[in-house]
Amino acid sequence: ALGRTLFYDPILSKNNTISCASCHSSFNAFTHTDHSLSHGIDDLIGTRNAPALMNLAWQKLFMWDGAINHLDMQALAPINHPKEMGESINHIIDKLNKTAPYPTLFKKAFRDTIITGEKILKALSQFQLCLISAESKYDQVKKNKKKFSDQENRGYILFKTNCNFCHTEPLFSNFTFANNGLAIDTTLNDFGRWQVTKKSEDSLMFKIPSLRNLSYTYPYMHDGRFNTINQVINHYIKGIKQSANLAPELKKGILLSSNEKTDLIAFLLTLNDSAFVFNRNFAYPK
């Protein structure tokens, strides 16, 4: 409950205008849809598309480049980023100590009113660990509560043939890093995982996102360059840029007819989980 309150409170930003939820809206599976790159304090534009937040307990590295290796530490990145929240944890502690109901909420959570950076980060990560998406039609089929349509079943077969090597069931990502053949954005010059490791083989490698809740999480890719699922699939059919460290499974591209594309999209839509997206327990606390 404390983490949920903090998540939605712009007090975590330097000028008290940007909250975690500003870029991670519950109604968009905890990402944003109105712009390609994250927007921060003073109308500053970030460098990447905000990733969706769900099923985080099964992930070992965070951010598009895997720069953070523990969820308890993840919030420090946007809090400290000058183009996102632009704040320091010590100043947040000072503000929370002076703001009701935080001393009371911290006492309920930690049995004392002493507010520390560790407690703030722990509370935020505990709330995010609650964000479990597991009630889509796909999940209901796996529980033998529903059945795929013929079209969805054809799409499922296509998915297992062409996509499952990176977007592994049931989380629909193996949460490793891959070069998926995107041409570099010459404005952002974002080289992904390389910016963390400085290893040439990690150039243009980005964390593989989950395909769950795709209808809610557009635009797609680390820079939000694609607005539709159809555009994403077209990239894999005819837009892959060859390079030395391109994911081996993509060397020959993915061959799909127009009917097969439609079938594949039909299956991908079964990964939407409206019960998760509209769960009032995850929304703004009233």
Side-chain angles (χ1 to χ4, degrees):
L2 170 59
R4 179 186 180 188
T5 302
L6 288 167
F7 188 89
Y8 284 93
D9 197 335
I11 198 172
L12 297 187
S13 65
K14 184 177 181 179
N15 60 3
N16 300 330
T17 62
I18 299 294
S19 70
C20 301
S22 297
C23 287
H24 300 282
S25 164
S26 63
F27 299 116
N28 301 118
F30 291 92
T31 184
H32 56 61
T33 61
D34 56 342
H35 40 262
S36 299
L37 304 176
S38 60
H39 287 200
I41 60 171
D42 301 322
D43 294 323
L44 293 170
I45 308 299
T47 57
R48 288 176 179 159
N49 180 254
L53 304 180
M54 56 189 153
N55 300 335
L56 297 170
W58 295 277
Q59 302 180 37
K60 295 181 179 180
L61 295 173
F62 303 92
M63 318 294 279
W64 281 104
D65 55 14
I68 308 297
N69 65 4
H70 199 294
L71 188 58
D72 286 0
M73 299 293 105
Q74 189 281 326
L76 280 176
I79 286 172
N80 293 153
H81 197 291
K83 290 187 176 182
E84 294 186 37
M85 303 173 94
E87 186 56 291
S88 72
I89 197 72
N90 287 334
H91 192 220
I92 290 172
I93 293 169
D94 183 55
K95 289 192 289 185
L96 294 180
N97 272 314
K98 299 174 182 176
T99 305
Y102 282 108
T104 301
L105 291 176
F106 274 86
K107 185 173 183 178
K108 288 181 179 180
F110 296 103
R111 301 184 181 180
D112 64 55
T113 58
I114 299 172
I115 299 176
T116 67
E118 181 183 5
K119 291 177 181 178
I120 293 168
L121 297 172
K122 176 66 75 174
L124 284 167
S125 68
Q126 287 296 296
F127 170 63
Q128 290 177 83
L129 287 171
C130 295
L131 305 179
I132 297 173
S133 178
E135 295 298 332
S136 65
K137 181 175 182 178
Y138 164 87
D139 298 305
Q140 300 303 317
V141 170
K142 291 299 179 179
K143 296 174 186 176
N144 293 317
K145 294 182 178 180
K146 291 185 178 181
K147 291 184 178 180
F148 287 137
S149 68
D150 290 343
Q151 185 181 45
E152 290 165 349
N153 200 53
R154 291 195 302 270
Y156 186 29
I157 294 170
L158 288 166
F159 171 83
K160 288 189 287 187
T161 302
N162 296 288
C163 316
N164 197 43
F165 41 81
C166 287
H167 296 286
T168 312
E169 297 176 79
L171 297 172
F172 290 90
S173 174
N174 58 21
F175 298 118
T176 61
F177 301 85
N179 179 339
N180 66 340
L182 291 174
I184 189 169
D185 184 313
T186 55
T187 301
L188 295 171
N189 286 312
D190 189 346
F191 290 89
R193 183 73 173 149
W194 173 85
Q195 293 172 208
V196 175
T197 67
K198 302 303 180 184
K199 295 179 180 178
S200 59
E201 61 266 31
D202 288 335
S203 179
L204 300 178
M205 303 273 275
F206 293 91
K207 186 178 179 183
I208 298 168
S210 173
L211 299 182
R212 285 179 174 269
N213 295 306
L214 283 179
S215 290
Y216 304 104
T217 60
Y218 61 92
Y220 308 108
M221 305 299 173
H222 66 279
D223 54 7
R225 68 178 66 190
F226 298 134
N227 289 315
T228 67
I229 300 173
N230 192 57
Q231 289 174 337
V232 173
I233 294 175
N234 283 339
H235 161 72
Y236 290 113
I237 294 173
K238 57 186 178 182
I240 291 174
K241 182 177 177 60
Q242 296 292 323
S243 61
N245 67 342
L246 177 69
E249 298 87 355
L250 299 176
K251 292 289 186 182
K252 296 181 180 179
I254 293 175
L255 300 177
L256 295 174
S257 68
S258 58
N259 285 341
E260 287 174 330
K261 280 172 52 179
T262 303
D263 292 345
L264 177 58
I265 290 173
F267 167 70
L268 293 175
L269 295 180
T270 72
L271 304 182
N272 290 330
D273 182 357
S274 60
F276 167 70
V277 171
F278 299 108
N279 188 332
R280 294 302 307 170
N281 293 324
F282 303 150
Y284 184 88
K286 295 182 179 181

